[in-house]
Amino acid sequence: MAAVSLYFRRLFGAEEGGGEGGGGFSVCQLDCVAPDALDALLEFAYTATLTIPSSGMRDVLRGAQLLGIQCVADACRDILGETAQAEGETAEEQRAQHTATERMVGGESRVERGSRRKTDKKKVKKVGSHHINSSVLNPPPASPVSHPSPAPDSLRSLPSTQPPSPEQEELRFKSRQNGDSSAIRKPGRGATLNGGLLHWLHERPHIAHPPPVPPLNDKLSEDEDMEGFGDDGMLMESTSLPTSVADRRAVASAAGGGRKRKSQTPQQCPVCQKIIHGAGKLPRHMRTHTGEKPFQCTACGVRFTRNDKLKIHMRKHTGERPYPCPHCPARFLHSYDLKNHLSLHSGARPFECPLCHKAFAREDHLQRHRKGHSCLELRTRRPRRGAELGEDGSEEGGGREQSNPLEALSLQAHSSAFLSRTMLDGGSGSGVGPPLMFPSDVERERSLALQALAQLGPHRLAGYPELFLRGLELRGGREAEGEDPGGTHSPAAQRDRWADEVEEEIGEQEAEEEE
DNA sequence: CTGGGGATGGGGCCC
DNA sequence: CGGGCCCCATCCCCA
């Protein structure tokens, strides 16, 4: 909220050097803003989408002015059109704000002291919803509760303390001015404003796009995107991935030097920093943060974040089950349900616990089994290596020939943790560290994890160059040692290999420790 | 604890 | 480039 509202920026400790994100406020009463308007403005702060009930435009305008959300105020005035001009007070405000804006564009950032309308500072910030403690206000639906990056850092690095250069600001200002008429759309439920978190603008589905002002705007859009990801020093700092999207785009931009728009995929989520692959997939991902569910079932009213999920849901009402089992009358809503079901007919259980060698038909059941630490009968049975290879002739087994390296990594962690405890039974450190894990195992875990990462291809490790390089090192070393890289690839066989390696490593380490 | 169905989110492919 | 469609992995819930 501080990122979009001057009022909140001041309220929540934006004082330079203040440091504490809360600013000491625990309760904030906003009775000067109509509840509906405040709700709309909060939604805007989180989602860069402003939904204005047609009856409440004036309230939203006043709320935006009071809270110092300049772009919303501008948009409301734009929507109101001549109405705003006709009212002397509003027109006066508008002139004052334009004057203030022009001062700001010229590099002046002085803030009027004591004024409720703090309209003369930088308008909407590009980075918005970062660790917003809105417990004292009405939180938007399904606002992110947890966040991967620490809150104080996010708050400290709010771009409000690092205003863009005057040139950038001027470009943004011009863009906004030129596009006033096209920046607003009126979808079914109200007006949607494009003006907030600029690096979302190209991604969000219900947001009007910036005005077409080529070629300047084209460059501007890219610059804003870059800014949103990197120039504000927040997102890039938090990830510090040299091969991140922003860097790749920066490199491409520098190399190309042309006007051509670069592909926006993959894109980094500004909230969770996750890299989202695929054109147009970021808006879909963003809805997981905002809780927005624009697709509603007309039959039962259930809402969904995605259209395709709604479509599948509709099958429940239509009775359509398009995935029939060829062996029995069962029909399924999802293809993967049929796939799971087919494993019942085939009897294939390709997912075997490396510890107790219990086999499961489904991978998630194996994972659940492992997470529950329910397999404490260590190696009461030998691996079914031969049996696996024989059984792999079945359709299900054949489908899982290529084991997921991440699965191997996870399984290996599970195995090594468990084995560490059993092999070092009676060792020191009980009660310290995670369950079934000894502190001395941390380094070993790390090493094993890197080995598993080495199984990942560069496409899976593109965002983790350090790990990838180290993984290549390790893999090269192992292959040079004559390990059979083309051995069995069935999931269970792979896991057995890992487990055996773990045992070997543990044995070696024990020998070293004894020495 | 396990088996099974369903829900959710991400990625690939295509238009 | 955005969106639809599909598949996959994972999680949740219930019997």
Side-chain angles (χ1 to χ4, degrees):
Chain A
M1 290 187 292
V4 302
S5 161
L6 184 59
Y7 175 81
F8 285 124
R9 195 179 311 144
R10 288 186 167 185
L11 184 66
F12 293 134
E15 313 91 36
E16 269 63 26
E20 300 199 18
F25 290 92
S26 58
V27 176
C28 170
Q29 286 191 324
L30 294 173
D31 48 6
C32 54
V33 181
D36 286 347
L38 181 59
D39 191 50
L41 292 170
L42 282 174
E43 183 189 1
F44 173 78
Y46 279 89
T47 67
T49 301
L50 184 65
T51 303
I52 303 175
S54 56
S55 59
M57 180 72 72
R58 180 69 61 189
D59 287 339
V60 174
L61 171 59
R62 291 197 179 279
Q65 289 171 337
L66 289 172
L67 298 179
I69 309 177
Q70 179 67 41
C71 58
V72 173
D74 287 344
C76 290
R77 271 192 297 271
D78 187 74
I79 294 172
L80 291 172
E82 298 81 15
T83 309
Q85 299 288 347
E87 295 186 12
E89 178 192 346
T90 308
E92 200 173 299
E93 290 171 358
Q94 192 172 14
R95 276 196 300 275
Q97 290 182 355
H98 273 266
T99 303
T101 301
E102 283 157 12
R103 282 208 311 273
M104 177 270 299
V105 168
E108 175 76 46
S109 62
R110 189 168 53 84
V111 179
E112 289 179 34
R113 281 285 170 198
S115 170
R116 284 195 309 164
R117 301 191 188 98
K118 305 166 183 67
T119 58
D120 55 346
K121 209 168 177 184
K122 170 81 175 66
K123 293 175 187 53
V124 178
K125 299 304 175 180
K126 300 171 292 304
V127 179
S129 51
H130 302 277
H131 259 303
I132 299 166
N133 181 2
S134 60
S135 59
V136 298
L137 302 169
N138 293 331
S143 61
V145 175
S146 61
H147 194 287
S149 63
D153 288 343
S154 298
L155 287 170
R156 268 198 298 272
S157 55
L158 278 173
S160 59
T161 59
Q162 294 285 339
S165 66
E167 294 81 9
Q168 290 171 324
E169 188 59 38
E170 187 172 3
L171 287 177
R172 189 168 297 126
F173 176 74
K174 283 179 180 175
S175 168
R176 184 175 55 251
Q177 294 299 309
N178 291 339
D180 273 349
S181 59
S182 63
I184 304 297
R185 285 181 188 171
K186 287 201 171 187
R189 60 173 185 163
T192 296
L193 166 66
N194 169 19
L197 314 177
L198 290 181
H199 64 296
W200 286 19
L201 296 190
H202 307 294
E203 332 297 347
R204 293 193 51 81
H206 299 305
I207 294 178
H209 284 231
V213 195
L216 172 64
N217 190 56
D218 196 27
K219 183 182 187 309
L220 173 62
S221 298
E222 291 179 8
D223 289 345
E224 286 172 349
D225 279 352
M226 296 296 301
E227 214 174 13
F229 285 122
D231 286 359
D232 58 20
M234 174 157 65
L235 299 178
M236 292 308 299
E237 266 183 21
S238 65
T239 54
S240 67
L241 300 178
T243 58
S244 67
V245 182
D247 272 12
R248 283 197 297 271
R249 295 175 62 181
V251 168
S253 177
R259 298 280 100 183
K260 187 177 183 302
R261 275 192 82 89
K262 295 171 288 294
S263 169
Q264 292 197 355
T265 60
Q267 298 160 310
Q268 186 175 28
C269 170
V271 176
C272 67
Q273 277 75 53
K274 183 170 185 173
I275 303 296
I276 303 299
H277 300 267
K281 295 297 191 295
L282 187 56
R284 188 178 75 178
H285 168 79
M286 292 312 299
R287 287 198 287 270
T288 68
H289 295 301
T290 65
E292 183 187 10
K293 295 185 175 182
F295 305 100
Q296 185 171 21
C297 173
T298 56
C300 66
V302 177
R303 305 185 74 94
F304 295 89
T305 60
R306 290 164 52 167
N307 193 19
D308 51 346
K309 304 308 175 190
L310 171 61
K311 199 173 178 180
I312 292 174
H313 165 82
M314 291 307 292
R315 293 173 185 167
K316 292 168 71 174
H317 298 297
T318 62
E320 180 190 5
R321 288 176 172 263
Y323 301 98
C325 174
H327 306 298
C328 71
R331 303 178 70 92
F332 300 92
L333 289 171
H334 307 276
S335 60
Y336 39 86
D337 288 334
L338 173 59
K339 187 186 133 193
N340 286 334
H341 174 80
L342 285 175
S343 66
L344 300 180
H345 288 296
S346 69
R349 288 173 172 264
F351 305 99
E352 182 176 323
C353 175
L355 300 178
C356 66
H357 296 290
K358 180 175 177 57
F360 297 86
R362 280 169 47 172
E363 189 177 10
D364 57 333
H365 285 171
L366 172 60
Q367 291 178 3
R368 184 174 62 183
H369 167 81
R370 291 181 358 235
K371 285 178 182 173
H373 298 290
S374 56
C375 58
L376 298 181
E377 32 176 336
L378 174 65
R379 295 210 180 269
T380 55
R381 289 179 286 160
R382 285 303 301 167
R384 307 183 307 149
R385 292 183 190 234
E388 283 161 8
L389 293 177
E391 286 173 7
D392 278 347
S394 68
E395 48 185 327
E396 187 65 21
R400 297 290 305 182
E401 277 294 297
Q402 294 297 332
S403 173
N404 181 357
L406 286 176
E407 178 191 346
L409 168 62
S410 177
L411 281 164
Q412 178 204 8
H414 168 68
S415 304
S416 60
F418 185 83
L419 289 172
S420 298
R421 185 173 192 262
T422 53
M423 300 297 284
L424 302 172
D425 190 29
S428 61
S430 60
V432 180
L436 301 177
M437 184 84 73
F438 284 82
S440 60
D441 294 327
V442 171
E443 271 310 302
R444 188 187 308 145
E445 288 290 324
R446 181 179 171 81
S447 169
L448 296 174
L450 285 170
Q451 292 174 23
L453 284 168
Q455 301 291 331
L456 298 172
H459 60 291
R460 302 295 293 270
L461 287 176
Y464 307 90
E466 181 189 349
L467 290 176
F468 176 51
L469 291 175
R470 296 192 59 182
L472 281 181
E473 258 184 57
L474 287 163
R475 182 169 61 177
R478 300 190 75 86
E479 288 175 359
E481 289 169 10
E483 180 183 349
D484 175 22
T488 56
H489 285 292
S490 73
Q494 172 76 355
R495 288 193 290 274
D496 282 327
R497 220 172 60 194
W498 282 114
D500 291 342
E501 289 172 10
V502 169
E503 284 184 324
E504 288 171 14
E505 275 207 45
I506 291 172
E508 290 171 8
Q509 180 148 339
E510 273 192 333
E512 290 175 8
E513 287 172 359
E514 284 177 7
E515 289 176 5

